[in-house]
Amino acid sequence: MPDETIIAVLDCLIPGDATGWPAAGQHGLVPRLHELLELLSADGPAQLQTVLSHLPEDFLTLPTDQQTISLQTVESTAPDAFDTVLKACYSAYYTDPGIRRIIEQKTGYEARPPQPLGYEMEPFDESLLEPVRARGPIWRKVP
């Protein structure tokens, strides 16, 4: 099946909404999906083909609710393949720089990897270690 079918599948899995979240398929994630499928599993590309092969021939022309029902059927008949594709879809979507910018705008949470800059933390309270120190050593010295 062509990329149009994959786009429709992505749009069903992450449909987007009127508040600014784009649908996954319309966001141009098909190449990233393929890349992640290869990284997630040696048979990731085959898993995608399994999902696509379980869809009805007229999937693209079905109304969205019927497409969703078709994917629910795939989820129950080929759960491992569906799970692999779903994980790749979520990974492609939520690691995309454009989506991360939207997350940052909507939440105020800085959309960047946690390292190397890290996050602000309260200073460590050394008094928390007092009960452990009061016990004394719990090992014996080896000659």
Side-chain angles (χ1 to χ4, degrees):
M1 289 188 177
D3 280 355
E4 292 81 24
T5 304
I6 298 171
I7 290 169
V9 167
L10 292 175
D11 284 346
C12 283
L13 296 176
I14 303 178
D17 63 23
T19 67
W21 293 103
Q26 302 307 310
H27 197 64
L29 298 178
V30 173
R32 181 71 176 139
L33 177 78
H34 287 298
E35 182 182 321
L36 286 170
L37 283 167
E38 290 180 14
L39 290 173
L40 283 172
S41 170
D43 61 343
Q47 300 282 35
L48 175 61
Q49 291 310 312
T50 298
V51 168
L52 296 176
S53 70
H54 281 79
L55 296 174
E57 289 291 322
D58 61 345
F59 181 79
L60 283 174
T61 61
L62 293 174
T64 304
D65 61 330
Q66 292 298 312
Q67 288 179 338
T68 301
I69 290 169
S70 297
L71 284 170
Q72 289 170 339
T73 302
V74 173
E75 182 179 19
S76 63
T77 57
D80 291 338
F82 183 86
D83 186 52
T84 300
V85 171
L86 184 64
K87 284 179 186 172
C89 174
Y90 283 155
S91 295
Y93 191 81
Y94 289 108
T95 60
D96 180 78
I99 299 301
R100 290 191 5 225
R101 278 192 295 280
I102 293 169
I103 292 170
E104 187 172 297
Q105 291 168 353
K106 290 183 172 290
T107 66
Y109 178 77
E110 193 174 353
R112 64 168 176 78
Q115 297 300 330
L117 300 178
Y119 293 108
E120 290 293 319
M121 296 178 69
E122 293 180 23
F124 181 69
D125 181 3
E126 291 279 335
S127 69
L128 295 172
L129 297 176
E130 288 308 317
V132 175
R133 288 185 181 129
R135 273 193 321 218
I138 57 172
W139 64 88
R140 48 190 169 117
K141 293 188 179 200
V142 177

